[in-house]
Amino acid sequence: MSAHRHRAIPGASTVRTFTGPVRADQDRRAHGGVCFIDTCRCGAQRRTNTNRMAVM
């Protein structure tokens, strides 16, 4: 049996307003932007803070 690899479900990403750092080694340039939340089929989530525009 092979190890599970997390992959975001296409089209299932959500965009939220920035609420705080998502990692201990944060990038202060990303503060105040938006947070993209990608979800894997197993339920795991990856949060990415960014200042770029959210295009839906």
Side-chain angles (χ1 to χ4, degrees), residues 16-36 47-53:
R16 301 277 188 237
T17 57
F18 175 85
T19 58
V22 295
R23 293 176 39 168
D25 59 337
Q26 56 185 299
D27 183 356
R28 292 210 146 311
R29 294 174 297 177
H31 285 214
V34 296
C35 182
F36 288 92
R47 296 170 184 261
T48 308
N49 288 337
T50 185
N51 283 333
R52 68 184 169 105
M53 276 181 30

Side-chain angles (χ1 to χ4, degrees), residues 8 12-16 35-39 44-48:
S13 294
T14 56
V15 180
R16 301 277 188 237
C35 182
F36 288 92
I37 305 171
D38 299 319
T39 305
Q45 292 184 334
R46 178 179 64 191
R47 296 170 184 261
T48 308

